Amino acid sequence: YGSSGSRVQCHYDTYGYNLYAQLYGNKRWTLFPPGDRQGLMKPSRLPFEESSVYSLRNVHGDCLKDQVTGALQVVLEPGDLLFVPRHWWHQVDTLSPSISVNTWVPCPGDDDYERVKEGVVRVLTCGLKGYAASKLRGVGTEEPGAKRARTLEDEMSWLNPTEEVRGAEWDLEALNEAVRGYQESKGEPDAGEINMDDLVRAITHPRVVETMAKQLIRLNSEHG
């Protein structure tokens, strides 16, 4: 269901592909090809939601449809069925009170690998941002209660309302399950458990650190 004027922020889904049926009313879909070859989409994992990679761009305000090669736009009417290919960016604007149904169709093999990536994102995002929020909860009593509450609410805005912080142990086990699932799909033997040391070694690998450093410098220049 969607009320007139509501919007689904531009994002892409990491798992499967989407079949979307419009039953009542009208919705405008703006779609962009996978990836970010032109460097225009500004992908972000904040707010964190498993399987959703958001864009920081204002699709219509930035006239993104006219800038991205291969962009498409369509208005769905009752009876229309839209096929959204795997990893295509999309923003959905509700033009009138609407009722729609959809289903995600899994992509075996590809989805197994994506679950490993999602597990890594969860461990890092919930670990870093969850730690910051927990430190904020310990702010001294010298801070006025209303101000502290607003600050904590702002700090927790990194987490999509559909998600919850479950703790490092749960996140690491979920990552291990994803790795086991991927290895099983490839017919590879289970080589054991991934622990935090393995994760630190992975994210501090020189190639990873170099990529992160370049990205951080680019993001900092965009802030200016």
Side-chain angles (χ1 to χ4, degrees):
Y1 174 80
S3 57
S4 181
S6 63
R7 169 178 294 172
V8 176
Q9 181 182 346
C10 185
H11 70 286
Y12 74 82
D13 303 300
T14 59
Y15 301 147
Y17 61 87
N18 192 3
L19 294 175
Y20 194 94
Q22 188 69 24
L23 304 182
Y24 178 83
N26 304 95
K27 289 185 178 182
R28 179 177 62 217
W29 280 67
T30 308
L31 302 104
F32 307 92
D36 189 21
R37 295 176 184 175
Q38 296 171 260
L40 297 173
M41 300 307 298
K42 293 187 178 180
S44 174
R45 294 313 303 262
L46 299 178
F48 172 72
E49 177 183 7
E50 183 180 353
S51 81
S52 294
V53 180
Y54 289 98
S55 170
L56 297 179
R57 297 298 299 270
N58 181 334
V59 168
H60 299 306
D62 295 341
C63 299
L64 205 57
K65 180 175 72 69
D66 300 324
Q67 301 178 51
V68 177
T69 302
L72 302 171
Q73 191 170 86
V74 61
V75 174
L76 295 187
E77 300 179 347
D80 288 341
L81 177 67
L82 179 66
F83 165 61
V84 184
R86 183 172 179 266
H87 285 184
W88 272 64
W89 297 91
H90 50 280
Q91 176 169 299
V92 186
D93 293 276
T94 303
L95 305 181
S96 63
S98 298
I99 299 176
S100 313
V101 294
N102 77 304
T103 183
W104 279 275
V105 181
C107 295
D110 291 331
D111 286 354
D112 293 317
Y113 184 59
E114 290 295 330
R115 287 190 178 89
V116 176
K117 293 162 61 177
E118 289 297 305
V120 172
V121 171
R122 173 177 283 277
V123 169
L124 295 179
T125 305
C126 291
L128 292 172
K129 294 295 290 184
Y131 172 78
S134 67
K135 294 292 287 184
L136 191 58
R137 290 189 182 93
V139 171
T141 55
E142 70 279 357
E143 183 176 5
K147 179 180 178 182
R148 178 182 176 183
R150 286 196 303 271
T151 306
L152 180 57
E153 182 179 354
D154 292 340
E155 184 60 41
M156 290 304 293
S157 65
W158 63 271
L159 190 68
N160 191 291
T162 62
E163 297 288 346
E164 61 180 298
V165 178
R166 299 176 180 269
E169 184 176 348
W170 189 95
D171 293 341
L172 191 60
E173 177 55 31
L175 175 59
N176 271 290
E177 287 183 10
V179 171
R180 287 192 291 269
Y182 174 74
Q183 291 175 322
E184 182 179 342
S185 72
K186 296 296 182 180
E188 300 175 358
D190 183 2
E193 293 287 313
I194 291 173
N195 56 40
M196 282 297 179
D197 287 348
D198 296 322
L199 195 61
V200 171
R201 292 188 186 100
I203 63 177
T204 57
H205 189 282
R207 288 198 301 269
V208 177
V209 172
E210 181 175 5
T211 299
M212 291 177 63
K214 291 179 178 178
Q215 181 68 6
L216 286 170
I217 292 170
R218 187 177 71 83
L219 289 173
N220 189 59
S221 65
E222 290 176 355
H223 292 330

